[in-house]
Amino acid sequence: MDFTVKQIAEYINGEVVGDENEVVNQFYKIEEGKPKGISFLANPKYENYLYKTESTAVVINKSFEPKSTPRTTLIKVEDAYSAFSTLLKLYESVSNQKVMGIAPSAVVSSKAKIGQNTSIGANSVIGDNVEIADGVTIAANVIIENSVKIGANTQIHANTVIYANTEIGANCVIKSGAIVGSSGFGFAPNAEGVYDSIPQIGNVVIKDNVSIGSNTCIDRGTMGATYIGEGAKIDNLVQIAHNVTIGDHTVIAAQTGVAGSTKIGKHCVVGGQVGFVGHIEVADYTKIAAKTGVNATIVEKNTSVGGNPAFHIKDYLRSSVFFRQLPVFEKRISALEKDKNKIK
Amino acid sequence: MDFTVKQIAEYINGEVVGDENEVVNQFYKIEEGKPKGISFLANPKYENYLYKTESTAVVINKSFEPKSTPRTTLIKVEDAYSAFSTLLKLYESVSNQKVMGIAPSAVVSSKAKIGQNTSIGANSVIGDNVEIADGVTIAANVIIENSVKIGANTQIHANTVIYANTEIGANCVIKSGAIVGSSGFGFAPNAEGVYDSIPQIGNVVIKDNVSIGSNTCIDRGTMGATYIGEGAKIDNLVQIAHNVTIGDHTVIAAQTGVAGSTKIGKHCVVGGQVGFVGHIEVADYTKIAAKTGVNATIVEKNTSVGGNPAFHIKDYLRSSVFFRQLPVFEKRISALEKDKNKIK
Amino acid sequence: MDFTVKQIAEYINGEVVGDENEVVNQFYKIEEGKPKGISFLANPKYENYLYKTESTAVVINKSFEPKSTPRTTLIKVEDAYSAFSTLLKLYESVSNQKVMGIAPSAVVSSKAKIGQNTSIGANSVIGDNVEIADGVTIAANVIIENSVKIGANTQIHANTVIYANTEIGANCVIKSGAIVGSSGFGFAPNAEGVYDSIPQIGNVVIKDNVSIGSNTCIDRGTMGATYIGEGAKIDNLVQIAHNVTIGDHTVIAAQTGVAGSTKIGKHCVVGGQVGFVGHIEVADYTKIAAKTGVNATIVEKNTSVGGNPAFHIKDYLRSSVFFRQLPVFEKRISALEKDKNKIK
């Protein structure tokens, strides 16, 4: 879609410096700008791109004073980052306009309750006693098993599976291939070392504003719930085992795994490929470096840890530096030993 | 469903202490009990919960003598854990009552053989020459490619893909999103470093009583089979490469990866996020800590390993403790060096 | 299918030593050979299997001179490995003969352009303005969202999801459960630590001859593209974040994760379970050991790294050896300290 610089400036309350009749139709990072593109510059560190970019227009802060005159048309606003973000959100909402209604090939139980302004994609299967609130989007090939509840305006992407009795809040996003509510890894060995499965009769409870990444797995509780707190953001390929609790507004990066019954606090930031053993607790506001192995409860709030097993990040980084020097340590110790023998 | 305490006590052969006409309709962990709930206490360590729980009834061992009188109704049995487990299994089997037959939207080849008492879910696709034994449940959106064989009473959950020629035993569970039998990662570089794919014409053989986790991938053999032994339990997001062998009754936790042609023995216990290089063998009854990197054959049976590369768990844990002390080591060595210079 | 040794020898231009009328119908590794099987021997190291194998026929190099006379029929060719590979490819192409056309249960937009000799499987969904070139195979339960482009002869396996605007080249293979183009993990915290999602309006661009593994996730760019170079081979359960670049002919093993905006060079070889932090660059021809944590740009081409954080593989391996000796280091330092005190 083509827009004039003038139209855009009006939408974000900006002042045009240059030709307001120029036309733009695509977003670019300023360093990758192309003609008919629009970019933004918020960080003065990147000022040099302002003179090199091929973008037709650039959104900048009013307060910013360019050292020389750029070729591109400028749109000056209070806060360039936020104004550009407004444009992106507009673009996103326009391009995601969904088809309302239930696809002819979807299989929806007559016992399901479906809200207003919902969309159910091709070949999706909605079980008995499912409750889907207003504004929910369910993409194609999604399985929603019996008695699942989904809150308003939540989006369920293609090819996900939501097992029976899962409760999902409002404004959530469940990305493609995610598996929510499957039976956990509960097996008890008998005397011969043969494993018998332990019944897994709990469910998964996901609160509002949660994001679940592609191909992420969240197992249901053995009894009771596996719980994902409000506003939590979970990346792709993450494993959340039975009866885990993830606190509100905690962020977990890709390929991390949390073993059974562990409770992670609120506002934690967890890097990628981290592992948590089962049955521990992690305090609120903990930061955990990528690849860390957390094998014990973290009591103190607002600390940072790294390493396997995890300890304080600063100590871990220091030890990591010395790890590289181990061959030197060996030489130094050998030299001391030699010297000692000489003295004797 | 509501049951009286009396009904439940009769089912598990228990003796009621308290009001046998109380009604329960939900299972809870004793520490999370709610009114109308039933819980169990097997470990005397948790006796204090017996007095605090809000559960209406608690199943306990006959041999257990409470220090004071709990408010809740008690059901005394020989073995509380096992009796409670019996109740859970009853509940599970009642709630999983499957719809028999083939969903109208399933696409089943006329050349497939389908046993008695089977269930094939909506939009599932069953290829030519597939053989499905009696009592098999196939959920919705499952792809069963040509010439797959599935043994009696096996359950295939939603959105799984079983590639051609896979053989699955009886009483297995394949959880949602699992991919069984895709072509392995076999590429040979030419002189220019461009990779050509090596044909992958083998298959996957899964024996009886195996559990495969959600979104787990098992590649087929290059030639011959990738083999999962009887009773093996594999968690979510695990990678099993071409021509791997997993021994009988071996347990593998989430996000572990096994590279091509490696053979893991019987009754091994493998933690989460472990990696195995290709073409090695791991002896029976080996225990492997989470996040371990196994890069060499383990010959001796019944050992425990940790670390990357893996070594004996006790030595690994000791080295890990000293790893934290590396800054102190450096100071001690420096002090010795200083002192030596003074002596000179 | 049964073939005589004579027929096979003619196909691969070989000379038969033994009975050319023997019949074979299956491929085996020489060490796993069975009657009616055909195997090959390229590496003289495995000569002993030539005398033990139960395979009916074995393909060997003309130049190879057996120490004694094997029981099996031999087919002598210039290059046994390459001749056998030719047979495997023939077998593979015969067994993969696809059903042409669009399955009745597929849902294909009238606005999609579908090439000649294509195949679209049961329950697959093809969106508006999708362009599918000649010879493309799309298996069952695949979701191709709006405006996706797929090049000639590419294969998309079952239950994959290709999000809107993705561009896939020719001769690619996207394996089952792969998720290509989902929105990246982009969230910005507000003053209260509540995360707001950043619009993700870019796409994924995959060049020719790329292989993407099962259940692998490739997120689309925030703006601009996430880019997978020509001939790149990516294994199962790999995470590729937004705006990552993977260079041409780079190979990435299973369960590796690459964080946002990182650029990996050409002809790199990356082991399994490796993690890359975001916003770094890795030079061409870099080799990275399994489980490595790459947390900084690698400038020099053609180096090998290991460890977390990564450093030169030789130094890493040396430090790893000393890591095991840390308890001994402690003893040696203690002995020196004791000795020093005695001297004083």
Side-chain angles (χ1 to χ4, degrees), chain A residues 18 20 26 34 108 120 146 149 166 176-177 187 267 282 292:
Chain A
E20 69 178 19
Q26 185 60 276
K34 300 243 168 75
V108 179
I120 298 177
N146 296 344
K149 288 178 189 154
T166 299
S176 287
F187 301 98
H267 294 281
V282 174
T292 297

Side-chain angles (χ1 to χ4, degrees), chain A residues 95-160:
Chain A
S95 29
N96 286 347
Q97 267 174 358
K98 64 185 181 191
V99 183
M100 290 303 171
I102 299 175
S105 59
V107 178
V108 179
S109 162
S110 60
K111 293 181 197 158
K113 287 185 199 162
I114 313 290
Q116 302 291 309
N117 299 315
T118 54
S119 166
I120 298 177
N123 302 325
S124 284
V125 179
I126 313 292
D128 295 346
N129 306 314
V130 167
E131 295 179 24
I132 294 177
D134 294 351
V136 166
T137 307
I138 293 174
N141 283 11
V142 171
I143 309 299
I144 310 279
E145 290 191 354
N146 296 344
S147 305
V148 167
K149 288 178 189 154
I150 302 178
N153 301 313
T154 281
Q155 298 170 39
I156 314 274
H157 291 192
N159 280 22
T160 51

Side-chain angles (χ1 to χ4, degrees), chain A residues 105 107 123-125 141-143 145 159-161 163 177-179 182-185 187-188 192-201 215-217 219-220 223-224 237-240 243 255-257 261 263 273-275 291-293 308-311 315-316 318-320 322-323 325-326 329 332-333 335-336 339 343, chain B residues 26-29 32 38 40 81 84-85 88-89 91-92 95-96 105 122-123 139-141 157-159 173-177 209 211 214-215 231 233-237 249-255 267-269 273 285 290-292 316-317 320 322-330 332-334 336-337 340 343-344:
Chain A
S105 59
V107 178
N123 302 325
S124 284
V125 179
N141 283 11
V142 171
I143 309 299
E145 290 191 354
N159 280 22
T160 51
V161 179
Y163 278 75
I179 310 292
S182 64
S183 58
F185 200 58
F187 301 98
E192 284 79 41
V194 171
Y195 290 85
D196 192 23
S197 69
I198 298 166
Q200 305 285 321
I201 65 159
N215 282 341
T216 279
C217 300
D219 288 341
R220 66 178 178 260
M223 280 187 285
L237 294 164
V238 168
Q239 155 71 358
I240 306 283
N243 293 100
Q255 296 175 320
T256 283
S261 299
K263 290 186 202 310
Q273 299 181 340
V274 170
K291 281 189 171 290
T292 297
N308 177 26
F311 57 115
D315 296 329
Y316 165 65
R318 207 170 291 136
S319 279
S320 294
F322 287 121
F323 174 75
Q325 297 180 13
L326 284 181
F329 275 30
R332 289 167 68 187
I333 297 172
L336 287 162
D339 203 70
I343 291 174
Chain B
Q26 184 61 275
F27 296 97
Y28 292 106
K29 292 184 185 179
E32 298 173 350
I38 179 165
F40 78 103
Y81 179 78
F84 198 74
S85 192
L88 288 175
K89 281 181 184 164
Y91 173 86
E92 201 178 41
S95 27
N96 286 347
S105 59
N123 302 325
N141 283 10
H157 291 193
N159 280 22
V173 178
I174 315 285
K175 295 181 191 170
S176 288
N209 300 310
S211 176
S214 299
N215 282 341
K233 309 296 180 192
I234 298 177
D235 202 353
N236 300 342
L237 293 164
H249 309 297
T250 277
V251 173
I252 299 181
Q255 296 177 319
H267 293 282
C268 293
V269 177
Q273 299 182 340
Y285 295 96
K291 281 190 171 289
T292 297
Y316 165 64
L317 293 175
S320 294
F322 287 120
F323 174 75
R324 297 189 183 204
Q325 296 180 14
L326 284 181
V328 177
F329 275 30
E330 150 62 23
R332 290 166 67 187
I333 297 172
S334 290
L336 287 162
E337 288 169 338
K340 183 184 82 174
I343 291 175
K344 284 180 180 170

Side-chain angles (χ1 to χ4, degrees), chain A residues 204-227:
Chain A
V204 174
V205 174
I206 295 176
K207 306 304 285 186
D208 297 345
N209 300 309
V210 167
S211 176
I212 305 291
S214 299
N215 282 341
T216 279
C217 300
I218 304 179
D219 288 341
R220 66 178 178 260
T222 305
M223 280 187 285
T226 302
Y227 178 94

